[in-house]
């Protein structure tokens, strides 16, 4: 309550101090909110670090996919050139997994390479979390995610190009597909490299895969 105090020059009104219990209650509330804020910030920081570690690993896996697909599409492009002796056939193993077979007309070359699928599982699962937690990280994840989606479409086009495992290298349209795929592979590699550097501070380099 306000009190009247007379110092000889007239009455002056002033507010009495808050009760000690009220001051303590306010301090406890402020302290609790501060601790909660610190825990939330620390939790977000740990979650952000974990997301970056997972995304970096997915970048490493996809770099191997990009390298493998580039080798396949580069040979497919070469096989579509007029007079090319290199031939490429796409087929499926007994379990359904697709592979590309490279061979020459003279019989001097005959190798088989699996056609890997891009990895987008983690990006798909955590895309919304990244968008709400770290906008800068999302700006790096989104182009990488979209680039991998395009690669997956190109892979499916190649895998389903010839269900009979005929010589796909004889089809000039697949030569155009190969040239387009090589451009998309370079863009995907650049997007993955930018995301990896943002997550780790290091350049993305190939891993040795089994």
């Amino acid at each position: 309550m306000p009190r009247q105090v007379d110092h000889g020059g007239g009455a002056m009104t002033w507010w009495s101090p808050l009760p000690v219990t009220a001051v303590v209650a306010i301090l406890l509330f402020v302290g609790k909110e501060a601790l909660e804020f610190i825990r939330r910030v620390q939790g977000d920081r740990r979650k952000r670090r974990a997301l970056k570690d997972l995304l970096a690993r997915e970048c490493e896996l996809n770099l191997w996919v990009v390298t493998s697909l580039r080798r396949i599409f580069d040979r497919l492009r070469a096989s579509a050139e007029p007079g090319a002796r290199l031939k490429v056939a796409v087929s499926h193993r007994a379990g359904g997994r697709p592979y590309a077979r490279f061979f020459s007309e003279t019989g001097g070359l005959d190798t088989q390479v699996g056609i890997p699928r891009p990895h987008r599982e983690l990006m798909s699962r955590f895309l919304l979390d990244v968008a709400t937690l770290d906008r800068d990280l999302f700006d790096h994840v989104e182009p990488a995610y979209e680039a991998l989606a395009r690669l997956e479409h190109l892979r499916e086009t190649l895998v389903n190009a010839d269900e009979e495992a005929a010589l796909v290298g004889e089809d000039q349209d697949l030569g155009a597909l190969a040239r387009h795929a090589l451009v998309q592979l370079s863009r995907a590699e650049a997007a993955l490299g930018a995301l990896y550097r943002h997550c780790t501070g290091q350049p993305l380099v190939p891993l040795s895969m089994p």
Side-chain angles (χ1 to χ4, degrees):
M1 292 180 61
R3 298 178 182 176
Q4 298 291 330
V5 179
D6 190 352
H7 294 286
M12 180 178 66
T13 302
W14 59 282
W15 292 92
S16 62
L18 291 172
V20 174
T21 54
V23 174
V24 171
I26 292 173
L27 291 176
L28 288 175
F29 174 78
V30 172
K32 181 181 178 181
E33 290 297 309
L35 289 174
E36 181 63 29
F37 175 76
I38 293 172
R39 281 195 292 266
R40 186 165 59 250
V41 169
Q42 291 176 340
D44 288 347
R45 186 181 297 115
R46 287 193 296 269
K47 186 174 183 179
R48 187 181 294 109
R49 182 67 267 165
L51 285 172
K52 286 184 176 182
D53 289 343
L54 291 172
L55 292 170
R57 177 56 179 166
E58 194 156 72
C59 287
E60 293 170 348
L61 294 173
N62 277 305
L63 181 60
W64 177 77
V65 172
V66 167
T67 301
S68 299
L69 291 178
R70 178 178 286 123
R71 181 165 61 250
I72 293 171
F73 280 110
D74 189 54
R75 292 185 178 182
L76 179 59
R77 177 193 55 78
S79 71
E81 297 294 331
R85 295 184 178 182
L86 176 68
K87 300 299 179 183
V88 182
V90 175
S91 188
H92 296 77
R93 304 190 190 281
R97 298 183 63 180
Y99 68 92
R101 177 185 170 219
F102 308 108
F103 58 97
S104 62
E105 292 179 330
T106 60
L109 172 68
D110 195 337
T111 60
Q112 297 180 4
V113 179
I115 306 176
R117 183 187 299 276
H119 302 275
R120 293 194 299 152
E121 295 82 5
L122 290 177
M123 292 187 190
S124 297
R125 181 178 178 182
F126 295 115
L127 195 61
L128 180 59
D129 290 333
V130 171
T132 57
L133 185 65
D134 189 328
R135 181 66 196 186
D136 193 24
L137 177 59
F138 178 78
D139 289 340
H140 287 80
V141 172
E142 187 177 30
Y145 182 83
E146 292 176 351
L148 291 174
R150 287 191 290 269
L151 290 190
E152 190 168 342
H153 174 71
L154 289 169
R155 175 191 180 274
E156 292 304 312
T157 301
L158 174 63
V159 167
N160 298 316
D162 196 334
E163 297 291 342
E164 302 300 324
L167 301 182
V168 299
E170 294 178 357
D171 189 339
Q172 294 297 325
D173 289 338
L174 287 175
L177 170 67
R179 289 189 293 272
H180 174 66
L182 290 171
V183 173
Q184 295 302 322
L185 284 163
S186 295
R187 292 176 178 174
E189 185 174 8
L192 290 169
L195 173 58
Y196 188 82
R197 183 176 289 278
H198 182 76
C199 291
T200 67
Q202 302 295 326
L204 180 60
V205 296
L207 292 177
S208 57
M209 298 293 291

